[in-house]
Amino acid sequence: MRLTKQTGYAIRILIDCAVAGDELVKIEPLSQRLDITRQNAFKIVHLLSRAGFLSSVRGPAGGVRLARPAELIKISDVVTAIE
């Protein structure tokens, strides 16, 4: 099975948030770590938030974190939501 780049980035974003635990992950450093544009990172984060994988906090001190424990997130659900 071949995944799109967007799906691959979505999985990496979720992994990054899982490693951060309950801390908020900022989009700018996230996009730099994944070597993608900020706009693309925002688009993927928005899709993941709408699908219920991420919760976001707006504002200067904002960021994103997992909306549910990492153990409850299935890769197949992520692929379905993004594809």
Side-chain angles (χ1 to χ4, degrees), residues 6-81:
Q6 186 171 350
T7 304
Y9 290 137
I11 292 168
R12 289 189 209 164
I13 288 171
L14 290 173
I15 290 170
D16 202 89
C17 290
V19 169
D22 285 336
E23 294 181 26
L24 290 173
V25 177
K26 301 237 182 237
I27 302 298
E28 184 66 33
L30 179 68
S31 66
Q32 290 174 355
R33 280 193 299 271
L34 297 178
D35 196 28
I36 59 175
T37 64
R38 197 169 59 118
Q39 280 303 108
N40 199 11
F42 273 117
K43 178 183 173 186
I44 297 168
V45 164
H46 177 70
L47 291 172
L48 290 170
S49 294
R50 263 194 354 200
F53 297 113
L54 294 178
S55 63
S56 60
V57 177
R58 298 182 75 168
V64 294
R65 68 175 73 125
L66 291 180
R68 52 185 145 162
E71 298 82 29
L72 300 179
I73 297 175
K74 297 178 185 175
I75 297 294
S76 61
D77 293 340
V78 176
V79 171
T80 303

